[in-house]
Amino acid sequence: MDRVVASIGTAAITQSDIEHEYRFGLFLNGQPLDHAPDPAALDEARDRLIHQWLLEEEAEAEGIVLADLTERAEAVLEEIRNQYDGEEAFQSSLHRLGMNREEVLARLAAQERALQVVEQRLRPAAWVEPAEVEAYYHASFVPEFASRSEGEP
């Protein structure tokens, strides 16, 4: 029986989901899949799954389409493939992971979609308009600088 370790709304994240996420992370980094995870690594994998799930829901709400990210997923898969010592090692790792090329591409596209949601949400918030800079300069910086300068000899 697979144990539920987290839930998001009506969805459940199981222990095997977390273990698979851990192994998928090893695969992405070109590492052997037979490393036994420590509890901290499993906690990180669980947190990644939760964040991915929440970002996936956000992507659906934003209308971001997976098909738009296929080329990027293909490029990432090629980068992963290059981390392995040849095609045979790559295919062997895929087999040990229990996924085929299409499943990995779908997973990579979902990750790219999550990154796109983060980009859309955070990038605009980091932009400061020139008018905001000028307003800060006149309303805060100049008065503070003038008050500090008055006290100096």
Side-chain angles (χ1 to χ4, degrees), residues 4 6-13 46 49-54 57:
V4 174
S7 64
I8 303 168
T10 60
I13 296 176
R46 182 201 60 226
L49 277 176
I50 291 170
H51 289 116
Q52 288 170 10
W53 193 280
L54 293 172
E57 287 181 352

Side-chain angles (χ1 to χ4, degrees), residues 77-146:
L77 183 59
E78 189 60 34
E79 291 172 14
I80 295 166
R81 177 178 279 134
N82 292 336
Q83 293 176 4
Y84 288 88
D85 295 329
E87 185 65 22
E88 187 177 315
F90 175 74
Q91 291 298 328
S92 174
S93 187
L94 263 180
H95 181 70
R96 283 193 312 278
L97 183 61
M99 295 177 79
N100 61 33
R101 183 179 187 281
E102 290 73 28
E103 290 169 327
V104 171
L105 282 173
R107 186 84 182 268
L108 292 173
Q111 287 183 349
E112 290 299 319
R113 187 161 107 164
L115 290 173
Q116 198 173 45
V117 171
V118 170
E119 179 82 14
Q120 287 180 0
R121 289 291 183 168
L122 298 181
R123 183 69 64 148
W127 182 258
V128 179
E129 295 292 328
E132 293 174 297
V133 173
E134 188 172 342
Y136 170 81
Y137 178 79
H138 291 297
S140 298
F141 180 78
V142 171
E144 186 177 327
F145 183 75

